[in-house]
Amino acid sequence: MSIELDKITIKTALTSCLGRDFLAFEGSEDFVADLSAHAEEVRVQTGDYLFKEDDPVKHGYISISGSFMLERATSEGTRHIFAFVFTGSLLGFSEQHHFTFSAKALSESAAIKVNMTFIEELFDKYPEIAKRVHNKTNKILSMILDQLFVLGQKTAHQRIAIFLLGMLKQIGNQQNTFLLTMARRDVADYVGMSIETCSRGLSKLSKQGIISIKDNYIVTVLDEERLVEFASK
Amino acid sequence: MSIELDKITIKTALTSCLGRDFLAFEGSEDFVADLSAHAEEVRVQTGDYLFKEDDPVKHGYISISGSFMLERATSEGTRHIFAFVFTGSLLGFSEQHHFTFSAKALSESAAIKVNMTFIEELFDKYPEIAKRVHNKTNKILSMILDQLFVLGQKTAHQRIAIFLLGMLKQIGNQQNTFLLTMARRDVADYVGMSIETCSRGLSKLSKQGIISIKDNYIVTVLDEERLVEFASK
DNA sequence: CGAGCCCTTGATGCATTTCAACGAATGTGG
DNA sequence: CCACATTCGTTGAAATGCATCAAGGGCTCG
């Protein structure tokens, strides 16, 4: 059971979790050695689960490639999607006994898997790491607050526009085209509306020339300014 | 600048944040002395703010009495309420530069106020405390996820029922009557609907004999089972 | 007593869900 | 290689739910 810390995907993920200089604090070499010896890389096929709701939390995970969606089932058989996560997100690092949501792979994905009791040991041994993970947790909390805010907004079109702006932000400033890795149904369950309303919202944005959609999943934002405007009314 | 750790309100709040035995770990006496020397008790009148959105984060807060609501303004002049917090919640403990929401007192309230740089020092000096705060953060995260889930639900009645069940859970298993400290408008902004819809929802539950409301703010849950049912359809 | 605030209730119009139909893309078995 | 079934996205029409507008009652405070 070990991982290769030289892999670029793993380095990128850890940098995102622990900060750019996570290899440079005092004692970091020991930490790296410890981690690579005790962590394990798991691969998940499209549509399969990294873990499921109500599973006991035996491991923490760090996503290193592909993408996952975090979902919770409702009592009526529908579901809600909390988040789409990409590289470098922490999953299950809380001290809860059971997961309160599932992580489903949207594409062929991979994650690092670390035993929870070992994580505790790492935190005790390397307070610097505990601190950085704590920071990351706070960032995640802040992202979830933003999403909470979005869902509090009343109109559906607004929420779709904000969703698209979020995707844009995630890929960085350079590009304005991105691939939606998730199905319409997933987007709808994320922003809290029916598939049809979601589809209509996207169509409307298309017709107005604010975005263009190719092959159902390739979205180009043509007029970000108007999209922002659309998001706030 | 100091607080009296003997005060029952403060003890209760700290117990909620740091765990029942926070006075019993190794070095805890020093920690308690440090904290009480550097913390400050602040009182906030009903309707006043403990801190406001966009304020620089100079201090962290722990609520010790009364209740606060955490709100964020929207671009259209409306607002969204993230949470109602009672005793023992951490506020502003993240490493963000500015608050992304305001904390408004719903009743005469109080909080402990600690300088952020001093908090950092405390964390470095007492890893055990850092760990416990981290745990508490994870719990808060989990609560926010639950709220996210609620807002993802489509019907208004559902959300109101879930809100009431949340209030019930908060006061413990013993009672089935509680005082709503917040106005209808606040509840509405919390569950994401208009005041009128909120009012109608409560009326409907009343008429069906599932709850009863006295003097507008005193709610008694008469039939929890049917309330749960109501919440899931 | 009157002013102001909050909650409730009714009426109306709009937004969204639901039901239904269709085309495109994909996969299956003959 | 071709019917056929299946899945997914889109669009239309109808029904429903919610926001908005408007009015009235209860309460508090001056």
Side-chain angles (χ1 to χ4, degrees):
Chain A
M1 189 164 92
S2 71
I3 54 171
E4 299 163 39
L5 269 166
D6 289 338
K7 265 193 172 178
I8 183 71
T9 50
I10 294 184
K11 262 190 181 159
T12 309
L14 290 179
T15 301
S16 161
C17 288
L18 305 175
R20 202 167 292 277
D21 53 347
F22 82 99
L23 290 168
F25 72 95
E26 201 178 312
S28 62
E29 294 119 35
D30 291 346
F31 163 70
V32 166
D34 267 358
L35 179 66
S36 65
H38 286 81
E40 191 180 349
E41 187 176 335
V42 288
R43 313 200 139 270
V44 188
Q45 296 302 314
T46 306
D48 286 351
Y49 288 88
L50 183 61
F51 55 80
K52 283 193 159 188
E53 207 176 334
D54 295 330
D55 280 356
V57 180
K58 292 181 193 152
H59 308 274
Y61 299 88
I62 300 172
S63 57
I64 56 175
S65 72
S67 51
F68 296 91
M69 70 186 175
L70 312 185
E71 58 177 38
R72 183 186 288 182
T74 71
S75 51
E76 312 112 85
T78 62
R79 65 182 181 155
H80 178 71
I81 294 177
F82 291 121
F84 297 108
V85 305
F86 301 90
T87 294
S89 192
L90 298 172
L91 297 168
F93 271 54
S94 70
E95 288 208 342
Q96 302 201 301
H97 295 110
H98 297 272
F99 284 106
T100 57
F101 52 83
S102 310
K104 187 177 187 177
L106 283 166
S107 52
E108 201 179 329
S109 305
I112 300 174
K113 177 178 172 179
V114 192
N115 193 290
M116 272 314 283
T117 55
F118 181 67
I119 290 177
E120 303 273 338
E121 283 172 34
L122 277 182
F123 285 178
D124 287 343
K125 197 164 164 191
Y126 308 100
E128 178 66 23
I129 292 299
K131 192 172 170 182
R132 284 162 184 244
V133 166
H134 192 174
N135 277 342
K136 179 72 180 179
T137 304
N138 278 319
K139 279 193 191 123
I140 291 174
L141 203 149
S142 152
M143 280 179 53
I144 293 180
L145 272 189
D146 288 341
Q147 176 61 10
L148 194 56
F149 183 74
V150 172
L151 283 182
Q153 303 311 104
K154 289 186 195 73
T155 87
H157 289 334
Q158 225 175 344
R159 298 205 292 273
I160 289 181
I162 297 179
F163 165 74
L164 291 175
L165 287 169
M167 294 301 292
L168 207 56
K169 194 175 167 191
Q170 197 144 39
I171 56 164
N173 307 0
Q174 320 297 358
Q175 307 169 59
N176 60 348
T177 296
F178 53 86
L179 174 73
L180 283 181
T181 41
M182 64 294 280
R184 291 289 182 281
R185 128 153 284 114
D186 300 329
V187 178
D189 285 345
Y190 180 56
V191 291
M193 65 186 67
S194 68
I195 306 175
E196 294 92 331
T197 306
C198 177
S199 178
R200 275 184 251 267
L202 291 171
S203 298
K204 189 170 181 182
L205 286 169
S206 265
K207 274 174 197 146
Q208 296 192 5
I210 298 176
I211 63 171
S212 86
I213 302 177
K214 204 181 138 195
D215 296 339
N216 275 344
Y217 295 105
I218 301 171
V219 178
T220 304
V221 175
L222 301 170
D223 191 341
E224 189 172 341
E225 206 171 308
R226 274 209 290 159
L227 188 58
V228 170
E229 195 192 327
F230 201 92
S232 65
K233 58 165 190 182
Chain B
M1 188 165 92
S2 72
I3 56 170
E4 298 165 39
L5 268 166
D6 288 338
K7 266 193 170 177
I8 184 70
T9 50
I10 295 185
K11 261 191 181 159
T12 309
L14 290 179
T15 301
S16 162
C17 289
L18 305 175
R20 201 166 293 276
D21 53 346
F22 82 99
L23 291 168
F25 72 95
E26 201 178 312
S28 62
E29 294 119 35
D30 291 346
F31 163 71
V32 165
D34 268 357
L35 179 66
S36 63
H38 285 82
E40 191 181 349
E41 189 176 334
V42 288
R43 311 201 140 269
V44 188
Q45 297 303 313
T46 306
D48 287 350
Y49 288 89
L50 183 61
F51 55 81
K52 283 194 160 187
E53 207 176 335
D54 296 329
D55 280 356
V57 180
K58 292 181 193 152
H59 308 274
Y61 299 88
I62 300 172
S63 58
I64 58 175
S65 73
S67 51
F68 295 91
M69 71 186 174
L70 312 184
E71 59 178 37
R72 182 187 287 183
T74 71
S75 52
E76 311 111 84
T78 62
R79 63 181 184 157
H80 178 71
I81 293 177
F82 291 122
F84 299 107
V85 305
F86 303 90
T87 295
S89 192
L90 298 172
L91 297 168
F93 271 55
S94 68
E95 288 208 342
Q96 302 201 300
H97 296 108
H98 297 271
F99 284 106
T100 57
F101 52 83
S102 310
K104 186 177 187 176
L106 282 165
S107 52
E108 201 179 329
S109 305
I112 300 173
K113 176 178 173 179
V114 193
N115 192 289
M116 270 314 283
T117 56
F118 181 67
I119 289 177
E120 303 274 338
E121 284 171 34
L122 277 183
F123 284 177
D124 287 342
K125 195 164 165 191
Y126 307 100
E128 178 67 22
I129 292 300
K131 191 173 169 181
R132 284 161 184 243
V133 167
H134 192 174
N135 275 342
K136 179 72 179 177
T137 305
N138 277 319
K139 277 192 193 125
I140 291 174
L141 203 151
S142 151
M143 280 179 54
I144 293 181
L145 272 189
D146 287 343
Q147 176 61 8
L148 194 56
F149 182 75
V150 171
L151 284 182
Q153 303 311 105
K154 287 186 197 71
T155 88
H157 290 333
Q158 225 174 343
R159 298 206 291 272
I160 289 181
I162 297 178
F163 166 74
L164 291 175
L165 287 170
M167 294 301 292
L168 207 57
K169 195 175 167 189
Q170 197 146 36
I171 56 164
N173 308 358
Q174 320 296 357
Q175 306 170 59
N176 59 348
T177 295
F178 53 86
L179 174 72
L180 283 182
T181 41
M182 64 295 281
R184 291 288 184 279
R185 131 152 281 115
D186 300 329
V187 178
D189 285 345
Y190 181 54
V191 292
M193 65 187 68
S194 68
I195 306 176
E196 294 92 332
T197 305
C198 177
S199 178
R200 274 184 252 269
L202 291 171
S203 298
K204 189 169 180 181
L205 285 169
S206 265
K207 274 173 197 147
Q208 297 193 5
I210 297 176
I211 63 172
S212 85
I213 302 177
K214 203 181 141 197
D215 296 338
N216 275 347
Y217 295 104
I218 301 170
V219 178
T220 304
V221 175
L222 301 171
D223 191 340
E224 189 173 340
E225 205 171 310
R226 275 209 290 159
L227 188 57
V228 170
E229 195 190 327
F230 201 92
S232 66
K233 59 167 187 180

